[in-house]
Amino acid sequence: MQPILIVQGGAGDITDSRVPGKLTGIKNSIRIGIKILENGGSALDAVEQAVRSMELDENFNTGYGACLNTDGVAEVEASIMEGKNLKAGCVTLLHDIMHPISVARKVMEKTNHTFIGGEQAMNFARSQNFEVLPQGSLVTENAKLALEEFKESQAKGLDTIFSPTELDKKSVGELGETVGAVAIDVNGNIAVATSTGGITGKIPGRIGDTPILGCGTYADNEIGGVSTTGHGETIMRYNLAQRILQGIALKGVSSQKATEDTIKEMTQRLIGTAGAITIDKKGDVGIYFSSKRMAWAYTQGNQLIYGINPGEILKEDL
Ligand code: GLY
């Protein structure tokens, strides 16, 4: 089977000035991941490494550069899943850990559990020799600025995060630029990895869609894999990843149609915006977002195919 990797760098109201950084980062991520698959590596390794590169890059909302909660802390969360045995690992409420996706993988591989959160997840990370960085190491100037702007808008009575209404539509679209990767390897194994800092100005302890299976991440070799991004409160209420896969499994539609139709239906019903990347068991890809922008990329032969604006498909040599 021809291996495929697709990555996304977050759906949201990405300003023009942030576009070049997102595109450079997404191309870097896909190049790292596809090399693993082309050398016969596993889908699991490819998605983990693709996401790790975005966790290191401040252009993305996870790891270094993650959104801040109201206390100014970057609380990060992640999930990883492999579609052969439906094994998964999820973590939430980690702080000062650069690679939440790798902690999630350790939960999957080294424990009898699927989801660990909070200070016990920090202890688990320590037990697996993850470095706990000095307090505040993931916090960037841009993230601090975004929190200041959020607090100013709240002071003006514009709190829009938790209960979007028609009037709030634009603000909701600015939130939740989670990153993710979906791959199918030469053996037909599918894996998905998703990692995030959540949303700016979240209440400390708030958990989003990203570490929740069926919402932020899902992989099943018998159907496909999905990684989602966008407004977590909306995505988790809609079970977005699972609904996209059910579109493929039950309606028999293509990855693209299932991804597009499901996101459109979600935004129509719940207003919040999102994006998703999908690969079905045949290796067909689906990409869609209802937000203003979402950086995405995949490869075909020696071509890198990518975009960030609605309807945009750009190509260059890998
Ligand atoms: N999708 C990221 C979040 O809202 O937590």
Side-chain angles (χ1 to χ4, degrees):
M1 163 138 220
Q2 176 69 32
I4 310 248
L5 171 69
I6 178 163
V7 295
Q8 56 88 2
D13 195 2
I14 298 160
T15 55
D16 292 351
S17 64
R18 293 172 61 219
V19 167
K22 290 264 186 200
L23 289 180
T24 303
I26 205 87
K27 291 182 202 172
N28 189 28
S29 166
I30 194 88
R31 287 188 169 111
I32 288 168
I34 198 66
K35 214 172 276 174
I36 293 168
L37 287 180
E38 284 177 352
N39 288 334
S42 69
L44 198 59
D45 285 343
V47 293
E48 181 189 7
Q49 293 304 323
V51 166
R52 279 176 67 98
S53 85
M54 291 187 275
E55 288 173 335
L56 283 172
D57 184 339
E58 72 168 305
N59 290 295
F60 299 105
N61 171 23
T62 186
Y64 182 62
C67 285
L68 306 182
N69 68 18
T70 49
D71 288 345
V73 176
E75 279 182 335
V76 292
E77 48 192 3
S79 58
I80 193 163
M81 184 164 187
E82 55 90 21
K84 187 175 178 189
N85 299 312
L86 306 188
K87 283 169 67 179
C90 313
V91 286
T92 188
L93 305 177
L94 293 177
H95 54 87
D96 305 307
I97 298 252
M98 186 65 81
H99 294 299
I101 199 64
S102 297
V103 184
R105 183 166 176 177
K106 290 285 184 199
V107 170
M108 177 171 83
E109 293 181 337
K110 302 283 182 195
T111 79
N112 293 325
H113 307 299
T114 301
F115 197 165
I116 305 181
E119 285 311 306
Q120 297 307 332
M122 291 296 297
N123 287 340
F124 172 74
R126 282 185 196 98
S127 77
Q128 297 299 311
N129 299 320
F130 284 90
E131 186 184 5
V132 178
L133 300 164
Q135 201 178 342
S137 294
L138 303 182
V139 177
T140 61
E141 286 309 310
N142 279 340
K144 279 193 213 164
L145 202 62
L147 181 61
E148 271 168 37
E149 283 171 4
F150 168 79
K151 287 186 171 173
E152 277 163 24
S153 70
Q154 262 211 326
K156 289 182 197 148
L158 297 176
D159 181 356
T160 58
I161 290 185
F162 300 106
S163 172
T165 67
E166 188 61 35
L167 288 173
D168 301 329
K169 207 186 265 186
K170 183 173 175 300
S171 303
V172 168
E174 291 168 5
L175 307 165
E177 292 169 25
T178 298
V179 309
V182 183
I184 186 164
D185 61 29
V186 279
N187 298 314
N189 286 320
I190 294 170
V192 180
T194 313
S195 178
T196 194
I199 53 182
T200 296
K202 61 188 181 181
I203 293 172
R206 176 266 192 189
I207 297 168
D209 59 301
T210 300
I212 300 177
L213 300 178
C215 299
T217 293
Y218 206 81
D220 183 345
N221 279 9
E222 293 181 11
I223 311 172
V226 178
S227 170
T228 73
T229 174
H231 186 239
E233 278 66 17
T234 303
I235 294 169
M236 72 174 95
R237 285 161 57 215
Y238 207 64
N239 269 201
L240 183 58
Q242 193 54 246
R243 283 199 195 225
I244 291 172
L245 290 177
Q246 291 312 306
I248 295 169
L250 302 180
K251 297 183 193 158
V253 299
S254 68
S255 283
Q256 182 57 37
K257 186 164 168 53
T259 307
E260 189 167 333
D261 286 357
T262 312
I263 291 175
K264 279 181 181 163
E265 285 157 15
M266 184 199 79
T267 296
Q268 207 166 15
R269 281 184 70 181
L270 301 181
I271 298 170
T273 59
I277 52 173
T278 305
I279 299 179
D280 70 17
K281 65 179 180 186
K282 301 186 298 267
D284 287 334
V285 302
I287 303 154
Y288 190 73
F289 49 98
S290 55
S291 53
K292 179 179 169 189
R293 285 178 165 139
M294 179 183 84
W296 57 270
Y298 68 97
T299 62
Q300 212 165 48
N302 67 348
Q303 284 222 302
L304 196 162
I305 302 168
Y306 64 100
I308 191 164
N309 294 303
E312 179 178 65
I313 300 180
L314 304 168
K315 294 184 183 175
E316 66 183 49
D317 287 343
L318 192 55

